[in-house]
Amino acid sequence: MSQLSVNHLLGIKYINKQDIDLIFETADHFKEVINRSIKKVPTLRDITIANIFFENSTRTRLSFELAEKRLSADVVNFSAGQSSVKKGETLIDTVNNILSMKVDMVVMRHPNPGAGIFLSKHVNASIINAGDGAHEHPTQALLDSYSIREKLGDVKGKNVVIVGDILHSRVALSNIFALRLQGANVKVCGPKTLIPKYIESLGVGVETNLVKALEWCHVANMLRVQNERMDISYFPSTREYTQQFGINKKLLDSINKDIIIMHPGPINRGVEITSDVADSDQSVILNQVENGVAIRMAVIYLLASKIK
Ligand code: CP
């Protein structure tokens, strides 16, 4: 059986094209499973997984929990806000206490970049990064590429523009790594203040004109402005941001081609995307969420097969 090259999923930076192909082939199988009337397989009855979330989440957290339950794993959920972290317990102590209850795998979201990498070096369990600050969100990038592959047949050779707050986005960085590994052409578009200076060194083009970016692309991945990670203002006002970098139906219709519209969520309707685009036939936003469960089942299954 083919195996992943890694024992943890800490970022797309640490995996290769063969890993992505294997995850997608495995997700194809699980997508078929979750569309049956009985959406479960007994595969991971002997595995226990802890979902530990130090930051808010709707999609990722529920998607991981559903993926785990559909593989028949035992699941425990931990929210930092209701835990003894509030009494001063460290991350390593917290996780080692959870692991001593015979937990095999940890899915972690954390506000600090590199938290998953740090944890993987200090505890004896397989770690999946469910988003670490502005660093990486690997399963989001995998489900995004999987959704492009589903819609366009292949990721290779496709033009993908990532629009918005690139500077604070773990989704952007993981997507750039994943898309480049698969041979897509990638541009970022947004205010210059929200585009990191190093971005071109990742093989990515920069376009500050949204119309030109849309004319170029097959896929536009619209990102939210991450106000919670900003301690200064990066653009004059939300209204001006929307005028320059928001997508609406009139703008989309003026581009004479069928661009696929993606968004990782949560959406700020009327800021980076209007409802008539988010809810249109060109939008695959809910397909992305659906595919997230199959992708996470595949990642968990493949990592679990390395610890059995
Ligand atoms: N896309 C994403 O990570 O959404 P959540 O923050 O709701 O998990």
Side-chain angles (χ1 to χ4, degrees):
M1 189 193 109
S2 299
Q3 287 212 316
L4 292 176
S5 66
V6 289
N7 295 326
H8 313 274
L9 181 63
L10 301 173
I12 302 293
K13 190 176 179 185
Y14 311 105
I15 64 173
N16 59 43
K17 169 76 164 60
Q18 288 71 33
D19 291 325
I20 293 180
D21 290 342
L22 178 59
I23 291 167
F24 286 2
E25 282 161 30
T26 312
D28 286 343
H29 167 69
F30 287 129
K31 183 146 184 186
E32 194 260 312
V33 167
I34 60 180
N35 279 293
R36 292 181 197 156
S37 53
I38 296 173
K39 305 173 179 60
K40 285 186 83 139
V41 284
T43 321
L44 296 191
R45 277 184 306 193
D46 51 348
I47 293 283
T48 303
I49 304 175
N51 301 313
I52 66 172
F53 278 65
F54 293 85
E55 238 190 22
N56 294 342
S57 170
T58 299
R59 280 146 292 273
T60 312
R61 183 176 178 145
L62 290 178
S63 181
F64 267 112
E65 187 172 346
L66 276 171
E68 292 150 4
K69 288 181 170 168
R70 285 175 178 168
L71 289 164
S72 300
D74 287 326
V75 179
V76 285
N77 290 307
F78 165 97
S79 293
Q82 284 101 49
S83 75
S84 292
V85 169
K86 290 277 169 204
K87 301 175 198 165
E89 193 164 40
T90 66
L91 176 61
I92 293 175
D93 281 341
T94 300
V95 173
N96 272 330
N97 276 268
I98 293 169
L99 294 180
S100 69
M101 297 181 230
K102 309 295 175 206
V103 167
D104 305 291
M105 192 180 284
V106 172
V107 175
M108 182 171 76
R109 172 166 287 191
H110 200 282
N112 295 349
I117 298 168
F118 172 77
L119 194 60
S120 71
K121 289 181 178 154
H122 290 93
V123 304
N124 186 22
S126 185
I127 310 294
I128 301 178
N129 177 9
D132 58 335
H135 179 225
E136 281 226 38
H137 192 350
T139 56
Q140 180 69 46
L142 290 167
L143 73 89
D144 289 344
S145 283
Y146 187 79
S147 302
I148 295 172
R149 169 184 177 264
E150 185 174 68
K151 204 73 188 166
L152 298 179
D154 200 351
V155 175
K156 189 173 178 174
K158 301 298 180 298
N159 296 345
V160 181
V161 64
I162 306 171
V163 183
D165 179 3
I166 312 300
L167 185 66
H168 300 102
S169 175
R170 55 194 173 210
V171 174
L173 192 59
S174 287
N175 260 276
I176 288 167
F177 288 136
L179 291 164
R180 295 296 295 139
L181 266 181
Q182 293 168 94
N185 308 306
V186 185
K187 287 188 181 181
V188 294
C189 179
K192 276 192 179 148
T193 49
L194 288 175
I195 296 178
K197 290 194 181 11
Y198 63 79
I199 205 81
E200 283 167 320
S201 70
L202 303 179
V204 172
V206 176
E207 176 56 78
T208 51
N209 182 317
L210 181 59
V211 175
K212 283 188 185 165
L214 293 175
E215 283 168 350
W216 171 81
C217 74
H218 300 104
V219 177
N221 196 348
M222 307 302 296
L223 303 182
R224 181 176 65 87
V225 175
Q226 308 222 353
N227 291 309
E228 73 275 22
R229 299 194 202 285
M230 295 181 187
D231 45 17
I232 57 166
S233 294
Y234 286 82
F235 46 83
S237 70
T238 302
R239 198 168 63 153
E240 280 159 290
Y241 177 87
T242 301
Q243 274 171 0
Q244 278 195 60
F245 299 105
I247 196 161
N248 58 61
K249 191 82 173 74
K250 191 170 163 221
L251 172 59
L252 198 53
D253 286 347
S254 73
I255 312 289
N256 197 18
K257 59 195 234 219
D258 277 339
I259 298 166
I260 293 169
I261 302 296
M262 304 179 77
H263 195 306
I267 291 172
N268 282 151
R269 288 176 184 261
V271 180
E272 71 275 8
I273 190 166
T274 51
S275 289
D276 52 10
V277 174
D279 305 330
S280 72
D281 289 344
Q282 281 174 257
S283 161
V284 296
I285 294 171
L286 293 180
N287 305 71
Q288 290 171 258
V289 178
E290 179 186 342
N291 287 335
V293 178
I295 284 290
R296 289 173 177 123
M297 287 174 81
V299 168
I300 292 163
Y301 169 80
L302 290 165
L303 288 176
S305 72
K306 299 194 81 170
I307 55 178
K308 278 190 180 186

